Amino acid sequence: MGIQASYRRITPSEWEKIQSLTMKDATPPGYDVEEAYLEFACSDELMSSDRYLSIEKEWHALHTLLTGDVGDPSEIKPFPPPLGNVVMGGSETPFNSTYGSVRVLTPNEVREVAGAIKKITIDDLKSRFDPVEFTKAGVYPNPRPGGWESDQLEPLLFYYPQLVDFFDVAAKEGDVVLLSFD
């Protein structure tokens, strides 16, 4: 199945409520904080709404196109914001995802990301795509034996406008964005 990246837009008050779950004094005995988080963040209601976006396995390739960072996906180092915040940014939360911790972007970070990615066009991404370099660097997901080919840019271009729209709405609404890898 592979590693997939997903985003959730939540209001600042919802984020405060989630954070309050982790406070020892506010947590009743036997209360499973992780389960409570998952119950909210993975609810059918949230995941079937425009407050949820999955960019599937295209996260590393999109990160590479946006930042120029072609490092090994298991060794990706933080890249400066705001472009570094699109896929690999934000701050760790106490909540687990399948791969690492759920990350959070504040409303201010969300606005910065939205402003930055609005300026990057599909043509910009096309000009940054080098299938030979992607193959050499092992950019995930390596689509087929033999590596990347030029026709494999299309799935990335499918998800990018969705990502731009997602962050644009989140910025306009003043939302917090949660990012997880599962």
Side-chain angles (χ1 to χ4, degrees):
M1 182 159 165
I3 303 169
Q4 299 184 19
S6 60
Y7 300 82
R8 291 157 177 82
R9 291 189 303 109
I10 62 172
T11 66
S13 61
E14 288 171 326
W15 176 236
E16 285 177 27
K17 184 177 178 181
I18 290 171
Q19 286 181 295
S20 72
L21 298 174
T22 63
M23 298 173 64
K24 281 188 174 181
D25 297 338
T27 306
Y31 185 78
D32 186 333
V33 173
E34 189 74 25
E35 189 174 313
Y37 166 76
L38 290 172
E39 194 173 296
F40 169 77
C42 297
S43 70
D44 289 339
E45 180 183 345
L46 181 74
M47 292 182 68
S48 63
S49 74
D50 66 348
R51 295 174 59 191
Y52 174 82
L53 174 67
S54 174
I55 58 171
E56 305 291 329
K57 296 187 283 183
E58 310 307 328
W59 58 271
H60 186 222
L62 282 171
H63 174 76
T64 301
L65 289 174
L66 290 169
T67 66
D69 179 11
V70 292
D72 181 319
S74 65
E75 298 174 5
I76 292 178
K77 305 206 176 15
F79 193 85
L83 293 178
N85 277 344
V86 177
V87 177
M88 302 302 297
S91 303
E92 285 190 8
T93 70
F95 305 108
N96 295 316
S97 64
T98 306
Y99 299 94
S101 296
V102 173
R103 304 191 66 78
V104 61
L105 295 165
T106 66
N108 189 49
E109 291 170 322
V110 170
R111 279 188 294 278
E112 290 173 352
V113 165
I117 62 177
K118 266 192 213 179
K119 296 174 186 173
I120 299 171
T121 67
I122 293 290
D123 287 336
D124 293 331
L125 295 182
K126 287 179 180 178
S127 72
R128 296 173 182 182
F129 181 67
D130 180 344
V132 172
E133 189 62 33
F134 268 47
T135 300
K136 190 168 110 180
V139 172
Y140 182 79
N142 196 344
R144 56 175 80 127
W148 286 87
E149 294 181 15
S150 57
D151 65 332
Q152 290 150 338
L153 180 60
E154 290 310 310
L156 306 176
L157 302 181
F158 171 78
Y159 287 109
Y160 184 67
Q162 294 177 51
L163 193 60
V164 172
D165 290 344
F166 182 86
F167 272 98
D168 186 49
V169 171
K172 288 176 181 170
E173 298 289 326
D175 287 337
V176 168
V177 170
L178 301 175
L179 168 62
S180 63
F181 292 92
D182 297 295

